[in-house]
Amino acid sequence: EDRLSDISFNLILNAFRHIPVLHEKRIAGMITRGDLIRTFRQSMQDAPEKISGTSRTDAQVEDVMKQGLFTVFPDTRLEEAMDLIVMHHITGLPVVEQDKTLLGIITEKDLLLHICNPKPTHILVEDLMTKDVSTFHPKDSLNLACACLIEHDFHQVPIVNDQQLVGIVSRQDILKQRVPF
């Protein structure tokens, strides 16, 4: 019986990725950030009213992207990447060159695959990172980025300008901008 806005608020404020749904004191299911994005995606297309000064249909990626990101270099030791992801409660790290050229991304999923199928102990980020990364330009439509997050079940997408990393957009960023509290 809880309102979606209350659930969204908890998912965003507490950095939760999912919340259990109880019925008669038993778990009946889970609501995830992805579920909320899918739910609100249709309403974004159906209701072009203004939110935060930008209409839902013309919002751009730069309106919600985060800057000042944690990044790693390809020669970063895997343990360092694991520490950053765990300490900062993030789902992945862009892998960049010194000039911020995006080379790939190392995600929780990449790390879990390694944990389940361990490789030699001196592994570097470049050995496990995903190299074929979906990216967006800051001026791209936020609706396109949202659709990508839904279609590919990504938690975040890097934002690049001339191959240089300039930000990142996550499910949480879209929820913060789009979900009315």
Side-chain angles (χ1 to χ4, degrees):
E1 295 94 24
D2 290 328
R3 296 183 335 215
L4 280 180
S5 60
D6 293 339
I7 293 168
S8 300
F9 184 75
N10 278 302
L11 284 170
I12 294 166
L13 261 179
N14 298 303
F16 297 151
R17 291 197 184 103
H18 57 274
I19 293 181
V21 177
L22 302 177
H23 179 70
E24 296 178 2
K25 298 184 181 181
R26 293 180 187 236
I27 293 181
M30 299 292 266
I31 293 181
T32 67
R33 289 179 180 172
D35 294 331
L36 290 173
I37 289 172
R38 281 186 275 287
T39 300
F40 288 106
R41 181 177 184 221
Q42 187 61 45
S43 67
M44 290 185 332
Q45 293 171 341
D46 294 343
E49 69 270 10
K50 299 280 185 183
I51 290 184
S52 302
T54 304
S55 82
R56 292 180 184 206
T57 56
D58 67 0
Q60 295 177 332
V61 167
E62 68 185 354
D63 295 331
V64 300
M65 75 178 188
K66 286 183 190 154
Q67 297 172 309
L69 310 171
F70 291 104
T71 60
V72 290
F73 299 114
D75 61 351
T76 301
R77 290 185 21 229
L78 194 59
E79 295 83 13
E80 291 179 52
M82 288 177 168
D83 289 344
L84 281 170
I85 286 173
V86 171
M87 285 190 317
H88 297 287
H89 307 285
I90 53 180
T91 60
L93 293 162
V95 182
V96 296
E97 292 179 352
Q98 290 289 339
D99 67 354
K100 296 291 184 194
T101 298
L102 182 68
L103 300 173
I105 192 164
I106 184 92
T107 66
E108 289 173 319
K109 185 176 181 178
D110 297 324
L111 297 175
L112 287 172
L113 286 170
H114 173 69
I115 290 167
C116 293
N117 302 300
K119 294 183 175 153
T121 55
H122 300 299
I123 298 291
L124 301 177
V125 166
E126 67 185 342
D127 298 323
L128 296 178
M129 72 182 187
T130 301
K131 295 176 184 164
D132 185 22
V133 180
S134 295
T135 63
F136 289 89
H137 185 273
K139 297 289 184 188
D140 284 341
S141 164
L142 187 57
N143 287 340
L144 287 175
C146 184
C148 177
L149 290 169
I150 293 167
E151 181 180 334
H152 298 289
D153 198 27
F154 297 151
H155 293 275
Q156 60 189 3
V157 290
I159 310 306
V160 296
N161 188 3
D162 293 326
Q163 299 180 2
Q164 307 294 302
L165 180 71
V166 295
I168 206 155
V169 169
S170 69
R171 291 176 178 179
Q172 184 176 10
D173 300 327
I174 294 172
L175 286 172
K176 282 180 181 177
Q177 199 245 5
R178 298 294 177 107
V179 177
F181 294 112

